[in-house]
Amino acid sequence: MKRVGIVGCGGIAHVHAEVLSHMETVELCAFADIRPERAEEFAAKLGGNAYPSLESMLENESLDALHICTPHVLHVPMAISALQKGLHVVMEKPPAISEEQMAELQKVLAEHPNQQLAVSFQNRYNAGTQFVKKLLDEKTYGKVLGARAFVTWKRDEPYYTQSGWRGSWQTEGGGVLINQSIHTLDLLRYLLGEPKSVEAHVTNHHLKSVIEVEDTAEAYIEFPGCYALFYATTAFCTDSPVLLEIICEKAALRLEGDEVTVTQNGQKSEKQEFPPLPHAGKNCWGASHQALIGDFYRCVEKGQHFAIDYQEACRTLRLMLGIYLSSQTGEPTVVETI
């Protein structure tokens, strides 16, 4: 039985807590938040103890693992604190907000080889993603010729002003790219392979006087043997399903929300629907946290390596940081491999 704590008792923490509370191999026993009433609410509902800080929780609890559900800027320092206490870590995205943070955590992880750190790129576990991944791995429709991905969502002023941390380079690390669309960027990497270079631009269209980060990002990404177009914005009028389309030699594979369509010679030859499973929280979070968290603890229990570890997640982070750099310089950026 693994004793587990959660730090950061906001919206996404409810998803982690819901999953953990139904796992037979886990005891969810501690919650920490700088707003003590939020931690106390979790403890009252699920059992366990509430703390006003991560430090006080780590000092008073004997834990095996920590789930980090805090603002972006805190992910790395909190992961380091947990690792230095001998804990495994499950971290919400992003894995860092800068090259400096990434290097710092990589150094600490190298000093603690017996501990695992997972990053929540849970959309890799979506049934539609796995269906498309299998088709590509088996080259069912030949080699990939190109791809495009669109994230068109809505985030208005209160989303930022009421959070206390979103909309700032210092605390969020960016806008639509690092927050909403990093999952889709990760899926492009997962499905197409390691990117070589990127030419990109980010801007702020609809909240210029409210946030200092971007609400829109576009990129032209070079992958092995093909290019992908990437577009993401939170300036749309609604949250539309994420669209990811991959053009192969013999067919076009269209992943849109919970549906995959295969088109050959202009005709839809196959259509697969993957109805969303019941889940807590926003629809955009999906239901695959359960699969990711369950897989992580199975790997820990069996002494196996978890696939979406820090090194793997940082490959997507390097692509994301390359987009920001290209936008700043106006030049293509080479994406470093790890």
Side-chain angles (χ1 to χ4, degrees), residues 278-299:
H279 60 279
K282 300 176 183 178
N283 286 336
C284 62
W285 293 339
S288 292
H289 273 91
Q290 179 176 348
L292 182 146
I293 293 171
D295 191 20
F296 176 73
Y297 281 99
R298 280 191 293 272
C299 288

Side-chain angles (χ1 to χ4, degrees), residues 141 246-253 262-265 269:
Y141 298 106
I246 299 173
I247 308 300
C248 300
E249 291 176 297
K250 301 175 184 177
L253 312 178
V262 179
T263 301
Q264 293 179 283
N265 300 319
S269 61

Side-chain angles (χ1 to χ4, degrees), residues 30-41:
F31 309 91
D33 198 288
I34 58 171
R35 300 179 188 175
E37 67 276 7
R38 299 206 303 188
E40 290 165 3
E41 180 183 341

Side-chain angles (χ1 to χ4, degrees), residues 149-156 159-160 172 174-185 201-208 211 213-219 229-243 284 323-324:
F150 292 89
V151 182
T152 52
W153 287 355
K154 176 183 179 181
R155 296 293 184 271
D156 285 337
Y159 173 80
Y160 296 95
E172 190 177 17
V176 64
L177 186 59
I178 199 171
N179 196 334
Q180 288 79 23
S181 66
I182 191 172
H183 286 292
T184 305
L185 198 65
H201 178 68
V202 304
T203 191
N204 182 355
H205 287 305
H206 83 307
L207 292 173
K208 289 182 173 66
I211 61 176
V213 299
E214 83 285 353
D215 66 11
T216 301
E218 66 85 16
L229 305 179
F230 176 83
Y231 178 83
T233 186
T234 51
F236 197 43
C237 61
T238 188
D239 288 344
S240 294
V242 172
L243 167 65
C284 62
I323 291 174
Y324 283 128

Side-chain angles (χ1 to χ4, degrees), residues 33-106:
D33 198 288
I34 58 171
R35 300 179 188 175
E37 67 276 7
R38 299 206 303 188
E40 290 165 3
E41 180 183 341
F42 271 71
K45 179 181 177 181
L46 299 168
N49 301 312
Y51 297 93
S53 68
L54 174 62
E55 291 76 17
S56 60
M57 183 169 72
L58 294 180
E59 287 174 5
N60 291 281
E61 295 282 347
S62 178
L63 300 176
D64 297 298
L66 177 71
H67 285 236
I68 299 175
C69 301
T70 56
H72 297 175
V73 69
L74 299 175
H75 289 184
V76 166
M78 287 184 167
I80 289 173
S81 294
L83 290 167
Q84 290 175 338
K85 285 282 189 177
L87 278 62
H88 300 289
V89 175
V90 177
M91 176 196 292
E92 268 298 323
K93 54 78 183 168
I97 65 170
S98 67
E99 289 275 359
E100 293 75 18
Q101 275 200 342
M102 178 172 59
E104 185 181 10
L105 183 47
Q106 286 174 331

